[in-house]
Amino acid sequence: MKIAFFSSKRYDEKYFKAANQSQHELVFFETKLAERSVSLAEGATAVCVFVNDHVDRPTLEGLARLGVKYVALRCAGFNNVDLEAAENLGLKVVRVPAYSPHAVAEHTLALLLTLNRRIHRSYNRVREGNFALDGLVGFDLHGLTVGIIGTGKIGSIVASLFQGFGCQVICHDKFENESLILAGASYVDLETIFSQSDVISLHCPLMESTHHLIDAASISKMKKGVTIVNTSRGGLIDTAAVIGGLKNGHIGNLAIDVYEEEDSMFFEDQSALVMQDDVFARLLTFPNVLVTGHQAFFTDTALTQIASVTLQNLNDLAADGSCKNEVKAD
Ligand code: NAI
């Protein structure tokens, strides 16, 4: 099968070539998949896409016209794919539901610990011979209340890690995870998460109902000085509202690996360009904000798993038209 990769980076090529072992013809394009780049998929049976490719109806129609049969997401999230259009057009969509939930969970803690203990600032200071401690005061995690929104694969690991730090973990999800409860966590409503948590960590998917879950109204219900961590999807946070909360001190710290307008910036080297996004530029001016560019998944373990599961998904579809990792419209 010929598989056309979009938004492809050197590391995608490396891990997919290693997993493929010459079974399939792989072609790699750096450009994003969108209506205007569809023609690159000519002759391909499958396209392989990532989080910021635009797999909307016009793109899917273009793919269907070219005879493409499968859309393979090399990620877990699928909010960038119009599933209904794919189904109408007879295109099957598969994803990698879990490659390494530990990678994302561990990055969540890495962000929080870096931000809280001001390691991003002390790293630079020490390199310049500045060993002063002013401005580097952190707080103990032990004994704090941590609110986890979404206790699926990633959120439940994050909850356990916080339990390891001696935090009181409160969770919000439609489905309760028994092992977290047995380990001392409790499930509460969203209002309680907002009003009781010292740290709030987001791990639910981005859907219409969760878009801007963190907005001016929810921030106003939070404890003064709250720390918010988001390694899920940028659209969960109303960035302008969060900037307001940071300016008036209601939000004490913000650590994000995802940003609602990330698709025009992330995964590219834009260091020589003038930043066009004023909201993002404002975020970067806060000493108590830490941003990484959607790298929570980025470990050797995860990349190996992503490549092998994606190719297996396509092999399964080619074998009998079905795959356990297929995503369908509700
Ligand atoms: P999952 O599907 O295992 O868990 C999501 C959980 O959220 C489920 O338990 C679900 O019931 C719950 N949920 C749904 N709506 C909710 C709501 N309104 N309030 C509270 N909980 C709700 O997903 P997984 O693998 O844990 O991933 C979580 C998110 O992490 C994904 O949506 C994805 O967007 C993001 N992600 C980010 C990565 C990164 O590199 N930064 C990498 C991989 C995933």
Side-chain angles (χ1 to χ4, degrees), residues 238-267:
D238 176 348
T239 315
V242 163
I243 287 174
L246 285 160
K247 280 170 77 178
N248 66 29
H250 200 103
I251 297 175
N253 298 283
L254 173 74
I256 54 173
D257 184 52
V258 286
Y259 169 58
E260 53 184 333
E261 301 298 334
E262 70 179 48
D263 69 344
S264 59
M265 287 186 288
F266 283 13
F267 308 116

Side-chain angles (χ1 to χ4, degrees), residues 145-186:
T145 298
V146 178
I148 310 281
I149 302 182
T151 52
K153 290 177 285 298
I154 295 168
S156 58
I157 297 170
V158 172
S160 309
L161 294 176
F162 277 116
Q163 285 174 326
F165 276 91
C167 298
Q168 192 201 333
V169 173
I170 54 176
C171 309
H172 178 71
D173 197 313
K174 272 182 286 190
F175 306 101
E176 300 193 350
N177 179 321
E178 276 305 312
S179 59
L180 290 180
I181 297 173
L182 285 174
S186 55

Side-chain angles (χ1 to χ4, degrees), residues 50-51 75-79 95-101 103-104 107-108 148-156 172-175 187 190 202-207 209-210 213 230-234 236 257-258 262 267 293-298:
F50 196 49
V51 291
C75 55
F78 48 86
N79 52 290
R95 66 173 182 139
V96 185
Y99 29 93
S100 174
V104 184
H107 191 77
T108 305
I148 310 281
I149 302 182
T151 52
K153 290 177 285 298
I154 295 168
S156 58
H172 178 71
D173 197 313
K174 272 182 286 190
F175 306 101
Y187 278 83
L190 208 47
L202 306 178
H203 302 287
C204 59
L206 175 63
M207 301 175 292
S209 60
T210 57
L213 184 72
N230 185 13
T231 57
S232 187
R233 281 291 180 266
L236 296 175
D257 184 52
V258 286
E262 70 179 48
F267 308 116
H294 209 138
Q295 70 173 79
F297 73 100
F298 204 57

Side-chain angles (χ1 to χ4, degrees), residues 191 194 212-222 238 241 250:
E191 300 294 306
F194 292 147
H212 286 184
L213 184 72
I214 305 299
D215 61 6
S218 52
I219 292 166
S220 71
K221 296 173 191 158
M222 293 177 194
D238 176 348
H250 200 103

